[in-house]
Amino acid sequence: MAPAEILSGKIVSAQVRDRLKQQVVEMKEKFPGFRPGLAILQVGNRDDSNLYINMKLKAAAEIGISANHIKLPNTATEADVLKCIASLNGDPAVHGFIVQLPLDSDKPINTEKITNAVAPEKDVDGLSSINAGKLSRGDLGDCFIPCTPKGCMELIRQTGIQVAGKRAVVVGRSKIVGAPMHDLLLWNHATVTTCHSKTSTLAEEVGKADILVVAAGKAEMVKGEWIKPGAIVIDCGINHVPDSTKASGKRVVGDVAYNTAKEKASYITPVPGGVGPMTVAMLMQSTVESAQRFLEKFQPGKWNIQYTQLTLKMPVPSDIEISQSCIPKPIDQVAKEVGLFPDEVELYGQTKAKVHLSALKRLKNQPDGKYVVVTGITPTPLGEGKSTTTVGLVQALGAHLHQNVFACLRQPSQGPTFGIKGGAAGGGYCQVIPMEEFNLHLTGDIHAITAANNLVAAAVDTRIFHELTQTDQALYNRLVPSVSGVRKFSDIQIRRLQKLGINKTDPMALTKEEVNLFVRLDIDPGTITWQRVLDTNDRFLRKITIGQSPTEKGFSRTAQFDITVSSEIMAVLALSDGLDDMKKRLGRMVVASSKRGEPVTADDLGVTGALAVLMKDAIKPNLMQTLEGTPVFVHAGPFANIAHGNSSVLADKIALKLVGKEGFVVTEAGFGADIGMEKFFNIKCRYSGLRPHVVVLVATVRALKMHGGGPAVTAGVPLPKEYTEENLQLLAKGCSNLNKQIQNARVFGVPVIVAVNAFKTDTKAELALVAQMAKEAGAFDAVECTHWAEGGKGAVALARAVQRASQAPSNFRFLYNVELPVVDKIRIIAQQIYGASDIELLPEAQEKVTLYTKQGFGNLPICMAKTHLSLSHDPEQKGAPTGFILPIRDIRASVGAGFLYPLVGTMSTMPGLPTRPCFYDIDLDPVSGEVNGLF
């Protein structure tokens, strides 16, 4: 018989590597920026281990796998190794992970414990008990197979001989080769016998084998004459035997007597050059397979989400009863469902979490989903259900139409929560849960803003005090102290010097004049615009006197407290697109002017770094869920009058990447379309670069009747009969406001869907009239919604309309060019959005236009601060008034946030408590710890 054909592992492994190289290229093309990742953990510094690891690193580099070699010293303890393994298990960039054996440590380490600590889904060596167990029971598609047996099977396949039905003998029973080889042959339908050094009839058993795999670790243990003619022989052994003809005095042989065996076998592997090269190739193959599984599991836009079934009741229970009757999914489950990695999620208990900005970096090359903004007509003081509609829409799109969808909402202030408005988690069967967590502290973002804001306020007054009471040199000595005889400027002080045009870095080199410029901000107290804040409605803090303690030496001034969500830092948080951008915006915030008329910034005060540290966690969006299990980002809550009234840019950007190209992100703009929507488009979209696809305009019969001339609507007072009985004439007249708000949305070139939020007192004729008039006014569609009582089911028609509208052309455009003069930008908003004939700038406002233009802030967008209860400046003017002159009494600058805000009419940024605040109805069960009452 002819000598055996050689099964060259070098040739086959090269073919495998070429195939893997192409697969990696295809992965990178499909998922830009992605690379399969392999981690190799080594303990100690054995020469043989170093050799094997270098071979693996070289193969990985050739294929395009990102390989990371982690080397622990031989003093490493078992705890050190386990800690390192835990870190690699949680690293999403690592898809394959092996522990190089043996562990070369001076300390006792349980190898079994170490190999079992490797996450089974990353255990590309296939050595964990879980992978071994799956292999032994035949789950070949759901486990990793040890590399040597896997390589042996690949070599056997190269022969073209069918394994099924053949008699196979495995000599050796190690966990790394023999035992898994037995299982692998068995589940490929061979009849398998395992032998070992103690098998008394070894030669006889070997002689029966059609397929023989030898891994006994004993040089030339299996003799050629034992082998069945025509058998396939796979030799896994690597042994050294003396050979005087070799320079080293030894040569490498296998476990099979090769020279005699090749005369009887049909195929045989050489040693070296047989199984050895295949082992490394199979490690690479398993790593690529693991990366493919990872991509399949975490493919952006591919969600496997479990929705929560609602049990609807009539009459509809209170909001908190509904919220507490629903058991939310663990928030880490929600995160996993939407494609977030474990290391991108920071848990705050079981129901809320923060999401790291690294998620946005990872997903940067993924396409965005469809962007939907929910706004409303000019509301009554009771609100018309924008938050409820937002939640109802996402529940419908997700739980009922099975679309990937995220809601992005503002975090509510504690002021309204405990004041007259109550909570903002939605209502009825459309809520963010747990509502008490949503409405109260959440993850502490508002507290961080309070701390940061008040640090700036303290720095302003303290700096004025110190400049008034110290000489230039005394100030300089304190600002740039000598430490061990050396003075050094901090980074923020270098920036101040550069701003002053002083290009020096040696504190000893400044002249007296330069020292004077550096240490004296020379703040004019009359120009201070930065106020202290508190997240509680307290009318008695609207105007206060500070500095009355004797220690302040008579330096007092009039000041005030605002509510925290009106702080510019809240607006900065909402408009920032990352930590670096936030830090720059915080530094640019203008707190006052100097007596020379120059702006004084937070950077001038030296607080920028401290503010960034206080805000470093607040910048991460908060993840929650709706009653039906759809995901929600809750992040930032800027006022919708003196600020732009929208949730954060970062939350929207992350959500748009997570939902994928066909998914939806639904965000809500504060107040009516004339305020929140206009600012969403002209400010938020301008800074974010995002372009919306659909506007959902929420309207109610109640509000439209008010605009038609109905009696005043007052919180806490029963509605007059005009609102509870059918009145089509009053309703039709009030639709003038709906028409105007539809026009306002269409000015920006975006399709408008009107969501008619139905109340139980509305008649079918009234609801039909609103829908009809909305379509006549140019709405893409108008849909009756019953989501408050029915959850997502009641908003399915709205969701379908949004889907259709998102496919329609969207020719988004801004209302004005920011390069226009300040007055012109204000006039465009007043005339085109509010319906005014013109504007009137009062003297103080005119002075600010001149000042801000001189200071270089004239090109900022405009953020109009006016009443939300009318399209005009007068809250008593309902409907769609025209021909009025809009008075601008003052203009202020939020330079860090990036806008100027004209003050229209009068308003306070510190609301007061009503006679009967909402907190009368809130209580805590001392036994269960549950929150009771109404929000």
Side-chain angles (χ1 to χ4, degrees):
M1 124 173 227
E5 189 173 330
I6 306 302
L7 289 173
S8 171
K10 290 182 179 179
I11 294 173
V12 177
S13 65
Q15 294 169 352
V16 170
R17 289 197 300 272
D18 286 343
R19 185 178 71 241
L20 294 176
K21 195 185 301 184
Q22 182 58 36
Q23 289 175 1
V24 170
V25 168
E26 290 170 3
M27 273 191 223
K28 291 178 180 178
E29 289 174 352
K30 189 173 181 181
F31 302 99
F34 179 83
R35 285 184 75 186
L38 172 67
I40 304 172
L41 175 59
Q42 179 185 8
V43 179
N45 194 36
R46 285 175 57 118
D47 290 340
D48 56 349
S49 291
N50 291 333
L51 177 64
Y52 297 144
I53 290 169
N54 285 335
M55 290 167 55
K56 294 165 185 174
L57 294 174
K58 183 179 178 182
E62 178 190 341
I63 291 166
I65 294 170
S66 175
N68 183 19
H69 179 198
I70 303 98
K71 202 168 188 177
L72 299 181
N74 60 6
T75 56
T77 64
E78 185 174 273
D80 294 332
V81 180
L82 290 172
K83 183 179 179 182
C84 187
I85 289 173
S87 174
L88 292 168
N89 282 344
D91 186 346
V94 173
H95 310 110
F97 170 23
I98 68 168
V99 178
Q100 185 67 40
L101 300 177
L103 300 169
D104 179 24
S105 175
D106 297 341
K107 306 292 189 297
I109 297 180
N110 184 328
T111 301
E112 184 84 3
K113 186 175 182 180
I114 295 301
T115 54
N116 279 325
V118 177
E121 65 273 15
K122 297 187 178 187
D123 173 30
V124 288
D125 253 348
L127 299 182
S128 69
S129 296
I130 290 177
N131 277 318
K134 288 183 175 181
L135 175 59
S136 70
R137 70 183 190 188
D139 295 338
L140 304 189
D142 189 33
C143 72
F144 285 111
I145 298 162
C147 299
T148 300
K150 190 172 184 176
C152 292
M153 282 302 298
E154 184 64 30
L155 289 169
I156 293 169
R157 288 192 193 97
Q158 291 292 317
T159 67
I161 295 173
Q162 181 120 5
V163 174
K166 296 293 188 292
R167 182 181 291 275
V169 172
V170 178
V171 181
R173 53 185 173 179
S174 72
K175 294 179 181 178
I176 296 176
V177 183
M181 193 71 232
H182 172 280
D183 294 335
L184 197 52
L185 286 163
L186 179 67
W187 293 111
N188 276 274
H189 312 297
T191 302
V192 188
T193 301
T194 296
C195 299
H196 44 79
S197 60
K198 298 291 188 286
T199 302
S200 58
T201 57
L202 182 58
E204 182 183 336
E205 295 298 334
V206 168
K208 299 175 183 176
D210 301 312
I211 299 170
L212 176 64
V213 180
V214 185
K218 189 174 180 181
E220 300 182 326
M221 174 183 174
V222 174
K223 309 306 178 185
E225 56 267 25
W226 297 357
I227 293 170
K228 180 180 179 180
I232 299 171
V233 178
I234 307 294
D235 188 351
C236 302
I238 299 178
N239 308 283
H240 293 89
V241 297
D243 187 340
S244 59
T245 66
K246 301 291 184 183
S248 63
K250 56 185 179 181
R251 61 188 170 88
V252 176
V253 299
D255 292 352
V256 177
Y258 179 79
N259 288 330
T260 53
K262 70 179 181 180
E263 300 301 325
K264 297 192 71 174
S266 59
Y267 294 90
I268 191 168
T269 59
V271 178
V275 174
M278 293 300 298
T279 300
V280 175
M282 291 302 103
L283 174 64
M284 298 303 119
Q285 182 168 308
S286 291
T287 301
V288 172
E289 287 171 359
S290 181
Q292 289 169 334
R293 292 179 192 177
F294 174 86
L295 288 173
E296 180 67 21
K297 188 176 181 182
F298 290 101
Q299 188 173 331
K302 185 176 182 179
W303 291 6
N304 182 18
I305 191 166
Q306 176 187 332
Y307 297 108
T308 306
Q309 188 86 28
L310 290 177
T311 303
L312 303 178
K313 293 182 180 179
M314 292 296 291
V316 177
S318 70
D319 290 349
I320 197 162
E321 283 181 72
I322 294 171
S323 174
Q324 292 181 343
S325 70
C326 178
I327 300 174
K329 295 179 289 188
I331 201 65
D332 56 342
Q333 177 185 331
V334 176
K336 185 177 180 181
E337 288 175 342
V338 301
L340 288 165
F341 295 166
D343 71 331
E344 294 170 344
V345 180
E346 191 175 324
L347 301 180
Y348 279 64
Q350 294 294 311
T351 57
K352 55 195 177 191
K354 280 196 165 291
V355 174
H356 290 244
L357 305 190
S358 58
L360 184 58
K361 183 178 180 181
R362 171 176 65 86
L363 297 165
K364 65 181 179 181
N365 294 317
Q366 300 304 318
D368 288 342
K370 305 293 174 53
Y371 198 25
V372 180
V373 61
V374 176
T375 184
I377 62 170
T378 306
T380 69
L382 304 179
E384 310 316 307
K386 291 196 309 297
S387 298
T388 305
T389 301
T390 300
V391 176
L393 174 56
V394 297
Q395 288 182 171
L397 283 166
H400 298 268
L401 299 183
H402 305 293
Q403 301 293 305
N404 292 352
V405 62
F406 241 105
C408 290
L409 300 175
R410 289 182 295 165
Q411 180 181 352
S413 165
Q414 183 180 288
T417 298
F418 286 137
I420 194 168
K421 182 176 179 290
Y429 286 103
C430 297
Q431 298 184 50
V432 179
I433 58 171
M435 68 170 300
E436 58 270 37
E437 298 283 347
F438 177 92
N439 283 313
L440 295 176
H441 307 285
L442 198 56
T443 57
D445 294 352
I446 290 180
H447 300 313
I449 291 165
T450 302
N453 182 100
N454 292 343
L455 177 63
V456 177
V460 170
D461 289 305
T462 300
R463 187 59 175 262
I464 293 173
F465 175 78
H466 287 311
E467 288 187 23
L468 287 170
T469 57
Q470 297 181 50
T471 64
D472 288 358
Q473 192 58 48
L475 283 168
Y476 193 62
N477 290 342
R478 287 172 170 82
L479 288 170
V480 193
S482 175
V483 180
S484 301
V486 178
R487 292 183 190 269
K488 185 179 180 182
F489 289 125
S490 67
D491 290 344
I492 201 166
Q493 290 175 327
I494 293 290
R495 289 202 298 272
R496 170 144 176 80
L497 288 168
Q498 292 170 345
K499 179 180 177 181
L500 294 169
I502 302 171
N503 297 312
K504 296 178 181 179
T505 56
D506 181 1
M508 305 304 294
L510 268 64
T511 66
K512 284 187 177 181
E513 291 76 15
E514 289 170 339
V515 167
N516 174 269
L517 283 172
F518 175 73
V519 301
R520 296 205 175 271
L521 301 179
D522 208 17
I523 294 171
D524 180 353
T527 66
I528 295 172
T529 54
W530 196 269
Q531 308 298 344
R532 288 162 173 81
V533 297
L534 187 70
D535 198 39
T536 300
N537 288 1
D538 191 343
R539 65 192 308 132
F540 291 95
L541 294 177
R542 288 174 178 170
K543 189 172 183 179
I544 60 172
T545 302
I546 61 172
Q548 295 201 335
S549 168
T551 56
E552 273 49 78
K553 302 179 182 180
F555 299 111
S556 63
R557 69 178 181 90
T558 300
Q560 70 187 54
F561 269 82
D562 295 336
I563 198 156
T564 297
V565 292
S566 71
S567 169
E568 183 177 352
I569 295 177
M570 177 63 91
V572 164
L573 174 67
L575 290 171
S576 297
D577 68 4
L579 272 170
D580 185 57
D581 183 46
M582 180 181 73
K583 186 177 176 182
K584 289 175 180 175
R585 287 174 180 271
L586 291 170
R588 290 198 300 264
M589 295 186 306
V590 174
V591 299
S593 292
S594 71
K595 291 173 183 175
R596 297 183 297 274
E598 297 165 348
V600 178
T601 66
D603 221 40
D604 292 326
L605 287 167
V607 297
T608 305
L611 298 179
V613 169
L614 285 170
M615 295 293 293
K616 69 181 178 63
D617 291 318
I619 198 171
K620 305 167 193 170
N622 303 295
L623 179 65
M624 296 187 77
Q625 63 192 289
T626 68
L627 283 168
E628 296 191 52
T630 58
V632 180
F633 274 140
V634 184
H635 199 216
F639 250 28
N641 46 27
I642 69 164
H644 62 291
N646 285 266
S647 61
S648 79
V649 165
L650 278 169
D652 290 1
K653 283 189 170 183
I654 296 173
L656 283 164
K657 296 297 184 187
L658 287 171
V659 298
K661 187 177 180 180
E662 302 304 320
F664 291 83
V665 171
V666 182
T667 190
E668 176 195 345
F671 292 155
D674 55 308
I675 300 180
M677 182 197 71
E678 181 269 317
K679 295 174 184 179
F680 171 81
F681 289 140
N682 282 322
I683 298 175
K684 184 175 180 180
C685 290
R686 196 184 298 269
Y687 282 121
S688 70
L690 300 174
R691 297 295 178 260
H693 293 79
V694 183
V695 172
V696 173
L697 183 71
V698 180
T700 63
V701 168
R702 176 181 68 193
L704 292 172
K705 285 181 175 179
M706 177 193 72
H707 287 296
V713 175
T714 307
V717 177
L719 288 172
K721 66 177 182 178
E722 286 85 350
Y723 298 100
T724 58
E725 297 176 0
E726 185 175 288
N727 190 327
L728 297 178
Q729 185 177 359
L730 190 66
L731 180 61
K733 185 179 178 184
C735 280
S736 61
N737 185 271
L738 173 64
N739 296 351
K740 175 58 178 165
Q741 298 289 31
I742 292 171
Q743 291 170 27
N744 285 343
R746 296 188 68 198
V747 161
F748 294 93
V750 184
V752 186
I753 303 291
V754 173
V756 187
N757 189 15
F759 293 175
K760 62 182 179 181
T761 54
D762 301 339
T763 67
K764 287 293 181 185
E766 288 174 329
L767 294 169
L769 178 62
V770 175
Q772 176 192 332
M773 297 194 74
K775 291 174 186 176
E776 290 173 358
F780 182 92
D781 202 351
V783 182
E784 177 188 340
C785 304
T786 55
H787 46 276
W788 180 81
E790 297 183 294
K793 177 185 173 184
V796 167
L798 173 63
R800 293 193 189 281
V802 166
Q803 283 182 301
R804 292 194 302 274
S806 71
Q807 303 299 323
S810 177
N811 302 307
F812 176 71
R813 54 189 173 270
F814 296 120
L815 185 65
Y816 54 81
N817 187 327
V818 289
E819 302 296 325
L820 289 172
V822 172
V823 174
D824 289 357
K825 289 182 283 193
I826 296 172
R827 183 177 288 111
I828 288 170
I829 295 171
Q831 292 178 336
Q832 294 196 33
I833 301 299
Y834 305 156
S837 61
D838 205 350
I839 61 172
E840 177 188 12
L841 265 68
L842 301 184
E844 191 170 359
Q846 187 60 61
E847 288 174 11
K848 292 293 180 63
V849 169
T850 304
L851 174 65
Y852 293 144
T853 302
K854 179 184 175 183
Q855 291 180 337
F857 307 141
N859 290 340
L860 293 175
I862 301 298
C863 182
M864 301 289 280
K866 78 169 188 72
T867 179
H868 63 291
L869 297 174
S870 171
L871 281 162
S872 75
H873 58 285
D874 180 359
E876 300 304 316
Q877 286 195 44
K878 305 301 181 183
T882 57
F884 58 91
I885 304 295
L886 191 76
I888 311 298
R889 65 179 175 88
D890 195 4
I891 301 176
R892 294 178 186 167
S894 287
V895 178
F899 51 75
L900 301 177
Y901 60 99
L903 303 181
V904 182
T906 58
M907 65 185 68
S908 171
T909 50
M910 174 54 83
L913 289 171
T915 305
R916 191 184 193 286
C918 292
F919 61 65
Y920 274 55
D921 300 305
I922 299 172
D923 201 359
L924 183 73
D925 187 316
V927 177
S928 68
E930 285 190 351
V931 176
N932 296 322
L934 304 174
F935 275 98

